[in-house]
Amino acid sequence: MAFVVSQGQLSGVSVAPLTAAPAYVRLADGVYSEYGQLYRCQPQVRTVISFLARNIAQLGLHCYRRVSDTDRERLTDHPLARILAAPGARLTRYRLIERLVSDCAIYDTAFWVKVRMDSGELLGVIPVPAPRMEIRGDSWLEPEEFVVHGSRGELKLTPDDVVHFHGYDPDDLRSGSSPMDALRALLQEEFEATRSREQMWRNGGRMSGVLTRPADAPKWDPTSRARFGESWKAYTAGGGSAGGTPILEDGMQYEQLALDPAKAQYIEARKLTREEVAAAYHIPLPMVGILDHATFSNIKEQHQQLYQDTLGPWLTMIQEEIGLQLIPDLPDSDGVYVEFNLQEKLRGSFEEQASMLQTAVGAPWLLRNEARARMNLPAIDGGDDLVTPMNVLVGGMASPTDTAPEPADLPKARGRLVLMKAAPERPDLGSFDEERDEFTAALERWTKRQFTALERRASGKAGGVPDLEGWWAEGAENRLTELSSLIADHGYRIAQLAAWGVLADFNPEAAGWDPEVMLPWLLAAAETHASQHEDAGKKAVAAVDDEGDGWQANLAHAGQVWTSAATVRALTASAEACGFGSHDAAGASGLKKKVWRTGGTNPRPSHRAQDGEAVSLDDVFSNGLRWPGDGQGKAEETAGCKCRLDYATE
């Protein structure tokens, strides 16, 4: 396989020694250190830069395509996603980003060389150390040529072959200005302090001072003087006497002349260096181990600050440079961009996420087998069914921990799922007509919103009919969940209204009746209605073609058809919930007969003919229905029905 630029060519020229002029910092007279050497030898510099590089490298770098201003799709099989997942031989995405950030933090510039085939197809990128890359050209606006230096020669590259990252330099738009220059004085001070400490310990500076001997002490003979001098040198030079105790003779005293390490504030000096280096890279101090003023709350806030204010500019720079210099070289790159998965790091703890999700969805959200898997326990039968308290599955409760309102407070709970206990007084829930109209309007709004999202997604596509059915299938599960909840919420209210209409006449104390008994049946009915309404939308979308006025107009017409179906679906579900609720209350009240009452301005002939028909409570009417809107009946008998039932004791 032939390459325009290959990894082999790079490795052929990039063997030490370096020939590109590196950048140096003067640490002392005659002592210079290259920026990379400072990273290797200065612990504070390495701590801060490696903190930056590791925290950015661990973020996922995802590829997306912009579909519209409010929609996008994740790309997993795009060439860009494959390149970032495996940039080059034995090179991972983590190592690629880690080197990129490290080079930018040390030199304020970094380079990726593009690896291509002869055909021009981009296969990957290889990072080149900044000291090995030279920028050439007379233009100060942009590089005209890049040269990779090595012991076997040099490799010249055009700007199109290099992804060049750099920061700001006051004089040159082609390069950056390393933070090492701004830290020069601080690093010089740290170097001198470190050298001073090394000299002190090398010279055996356990005790830095002088010995004094009283003037009236006996005269030392040469032998005694020599013996004491040798013993003192052996002690202070560390020749095996560490931890021993020196013996002073003839009233001698030791006087301290130099500062000890504590008074010299070596620890504070080291801390100051780390603080200044961290400040140069805009990193909160607790993030690099300086916890003098740290508390649980401010560390938590600084963690948010880290990913928003500190790493945010880095991430934006990397994303935009990839978008400018790498993505245009790839096929099918319109609307493609990369984005770091920052949300993953800003998520709260598991407890915080669990609480937030429970509040957001209004019900438990973890399956039993999912919970068991977290604890390394085997799955159990039935563990894939979501266990949900009946009082929170379908309503507007803020979370499953909310309690049901007291009956006296029910009028204030309008618009929420209302749970009623048997009570002597009927709560004021409004009228059946009001609730049915509200349900109809809510279902129509929901339907229009779903179709508007589909139209918005399709609007960015040119040419023939886009994959509407595929897009529709992607959101089916979420739509069914929302739709079931919406229908069950209103259905439960309507069923209670109908039930209290019967109870008010025959059982004012509501003895033996509990509205929660109706919930399982109503939930199952809501799922059926949701599935039928979803199928109606699916059929409308499947019928869209490019004939007639074009697919855009046909798609808009399909939305109108589905919205009309929502109106009929709401009337049908309302009639069914009403019939079931009144039937349930009638059974609890001991009633024996039910009477069909035809409703609406233009009822079906079959319904008009059976107006006043009476059957026993457990029988079906002549049209095969147990009550108006009965889900067991045919659509021609239930759709849009507005009939109702009366009840009698005999």
Side-chain angles (χ1 to χ4, degrees):
M1 182 180 295
F3 296 88
V4 175
V5 176
S6 71
Q7 183 175 346
Q9 288 175 291
L10 288 173
S11 62
V13 300
S14 295
V15 179
L18 301 178
T19 56
Y24 290 92
V25 170
R26 177 181 176 278
L27 298 179
D29 291 339
V31 179
Y32 295 84
S33 183
E34 195 267 332
Y35 289 167
Q37 186 65 20
L38 288 175
Y39 172 80
R40 296 186 186 95
C41 301
Q42 285 277 357
Q44 317 306 345
V45 171
R46 185 177 187 119
T47 296
V48 172
I49 292 178
S50 63
F51 175 85
L52 273 176
R54 292 186 299 112
N55 276 276
I56 295 178
Q58 70 171 329
L59 297 174
L61 187 57
H62 296 168
C63 302
Y64 297 94
R65 188 189 303 277
R66 178 67 64 190
V67 177
S68 68
D69 290 341
T70 58
D71 192 16
R72 66 180 182 177
E73 59 179 332
R74 171 85 181 274
L75 303 178
T76 56
D77 57 351
H78 191 272
L80 178 61
R82 294 195 293 270
I83 288 175
L84 293 178
R90 304 180 65 83
L91 182 66
T92 64
R93 178 203 57 79
Y94 179 96
R95 292 302 178 193
L96 179 71
I97 301 300
E98 181 187 38
R99 173 168 284 278
L100 166 64
V101 177
S102 297
D103 279 350
C104 286
I106 296 172
Y107 301 100
D108 206 24
T109 189
F111 305 91
W112 291 351
V113 174
K114 303 173 186 176
V115 178
R116 305 177 188 269
M117 297 176 57
D118 273 339
S119 61
E121 179 185 354
L122 185 61
L123 298 181
V125 293
I126 301 296
V128 175
R132 298 191 182 280
M133 185 72 81
E134 179 186 358
I135 300 175
R136 289 181 181 176
D138 296 329
S139 174
W140 55 271
L141 296 175
E142 59 183 4
E144 297 177 356
E145 185 181 55
F146 293 94
V147 180
V148 183
H149 291 282
S151 61
R152 299 180 185 176
E154 60 184 32
L155 176 64
K156 297 181 179 180
L157 302 171
T158 67
D160 291 338
D161 293 327
V162 178
V163 182
H164 181 204
F165 303 84
H166 65 85
Y168 171 74
D169 184 276
D171 302 320
D172 194 341
L173 296 184
R174 304 173 302 171
S175 62
S177 176
S178 173
M180 299 293 184
D181 289 328
L183 295 171
R184 184 188 308 270
L186 184 72
L187 297 177
Q188 289 174 350
E189 180 181 340
E190 175 71 12
F191 175 79
E192 292 291 359
T194 301
R195 186 161 65 172
S196 174
R197 286 193 295 272
E198 290 176 350
Q199 291 173 350
M200 183 188 72
W201 292 112
R202 185 168 57 250
N203 293 333
R206 291 175 179 79
M207 303 179 70
S208 182
V210 297
L211 290 172
T212 61
R213 192 164 181 267
D216 56 353
K219 184 178 180 180
W220 250 353
D221 61 79
T223 302
S224 299
R225 182 190 295 271
R227 175 178 50 78
F228 180 81
E230 290 298 327
S231 66
W232 185 258
K233 287 181 180 179
Y235 174 77
T236 57
S241 301
T245 302
I247 300 175
L248 302 181
E249 301 178 357
D250 302 327
M252 298 169 62
Q253 292 184 348
Y254 175 80
E255 294 182 6
Q256 182 84 23
L257 295 181
L259 293 176
D260 58 25
K263 293 180 181 178
Q265 297 184 323
Y266 290 140
I267 295 176
E268 287 75 6
R270 284 183 173 272
K271 188 183 298 183
L272 174 63
T273 303
R274 182 174 296 188
E275 289 178 357
E276 293 297 326
V277 174
Y281 290 94
H282 311 287
I283 297 178
L285 299 183
M287 298 294 102
V288 290
I290 301 176
L291 306 176
D292 292 0
H293 304 289
T295 64
F296 175 80
S297 60
N298 66 24
I299 286 183
K300 188 175 180 180
E301 290 301 318
Q302 287 173 355
H303 182 267
Q304 297 281 336
Q305 175 192 347
L306 171 70
Y307 285 95
Q308 293 171 351
D309 302 330
T310 299
L311 302 188
W314 282 86
L315 305 184
T316 301
M317 181 272 291
I318 296 171
Q319 292 165 182
E320 292 185 353
E321 293 293 354
I322 291 176
L324 176 66
Q325 302 184 58
L326 186 62
I327 294 179
D329 289 14
L330 299 171
D332 189 25
S333 60
D334 290 344
V336 175
Y337 65 98
V338 295
E339 184 175 286
F340 283 95
N341 186 21
L342 189 58
Q343 189 61 35
E344 187 70 26
K345 294 297 295 184
L346 293 179
R347 288 179 178 177
S349 64
F350 176 77
E351 292 80 1
E352 293 170 332
Q353 294 181 50
S355 177
M356 178 273 294
L357 289 173
Q358 180 173 289
T359 300
V361 303
W365 53 274
L366 195 65
L367 302 178
R368 282 172 288 172
N369 280 343
E370 291 174 335
R372 291 177 64 85
R374 287 178 176 271
M375 302 304 295
N376 296 319
L377 295 174
I380 59 174
D381 293 338
D384 291 327
D385 298 326
L386 189 63
V387 178
T388 308
M390 292 171 120
N391 65 325
V392 296
L393 177 62
V394 296
M397 288 288 188
S399 76
T401 57
D402 284 357
T403 57
E406 296 297 328
D409 297 329
L410 285 172
K412 301 177 182 178
R414 182 67 177 172
R416 298 176 61 188
L417 173 62
V418 179
L419 297 180
M420 301 185 304
K421 301 298 181 182
E425 296 182 4
R426 172 185 174 179
D428 181 12
L429 297 176
S431 69
F432 169 77
D433 290 341
E434 291 175 349
E435 184 60 38
R436 181 189 59 200
D437 293 344
E438 182 178 329
F439 177 27
T440 303
L443 187 56
E444 289 175 351
R445 287 194 302 271
W446 182 91
T447 302
K448 291 178 181 178
R449 185 171 66 252
Q450 300 302 317
F451 219 86
T452 298
L454 182 63
E455 289 180 309
R456 185 183 300 114
R457 185 173 185 180
S459 64
K461 297 295 181 181
V465 183
D467 185 17
L468 298 174
E469 294 183 64
W471 293 346
W472 184 269
E474 289 178 8
E477 184 176 352
N478 290 336
R479 285 196 302 272
L480 283 172
T481 301
E482 292 181 15
L483 193 52
S484 297
S485 177
L486 174 66
I487 295 174
D489 184 7
H490 288 279
Y492 189 40
R493 294 181 60 85
I494 290 172
Q496 291 180 86
L497 284 167
W500 275 103
V502 175
L503 294 171
D505 294 333
F506 299 98
N507 185 13
E509 301 295 326
W513 179 77
D514 184 351
E516 292 187 14
V517 175
M518 300 189 297
L519 266 173
W521 190 93
L522 289 168
L523 294 175
E527 290 181 356
T528 300
H529 285 294
S531 178
Q532 292 172 347
H533 190 51
E534 171 73 11
D535 289 342
K538 181 179 180 180
K539 291 178 181 177
V541 170
V544 175
D545 55 37
D546 209 5
E547 298 178 0
D549 296 329
W551 67 265
Q552 293 91 342
N554 291 336
L555 179 60
H557 176 69
Q560 296 172 359
V561 171
W562 197 33
T563 302
S564 298
T567 305
V568 177
R569 178 59 51 192
L571 295 176
T572 304
S574 297
E576 182 179 32
C578 179
F580 170 73
S582 62
H583 187 275
D584 184 76
S589 302
L591 303 181
K592 304 299 183 182
K593 295 286 185 180
K594 57 186 177 184
V595 182
W596 188 282
R597 297 300 182 190
T598 302
T601 57
N602 188 23
R604 293 176 174 82
S606 60
H607 291 188
R608 186 186 299 112
Q610 71 182 42
D611 185 32
E613 179 181 340
V615 298
S616 64
L617 191 64
D618 296 328
D619 283 344
V620 297
F621 292 96
S622 57
N623 60 0
L625 304 182
R626 293 170 293 176
W627 47 73
D630 186 1
Q632 294 183 358
K634 298 180 179 179
E636 55 266 24
E637 286 294 327
T638 60
C641 181
K642 293 185 178 180
C643 300
R644 61 180 178 82
L645 297 180
D646 284 342
Y647 295 91
T649 55
E650 294 294 339

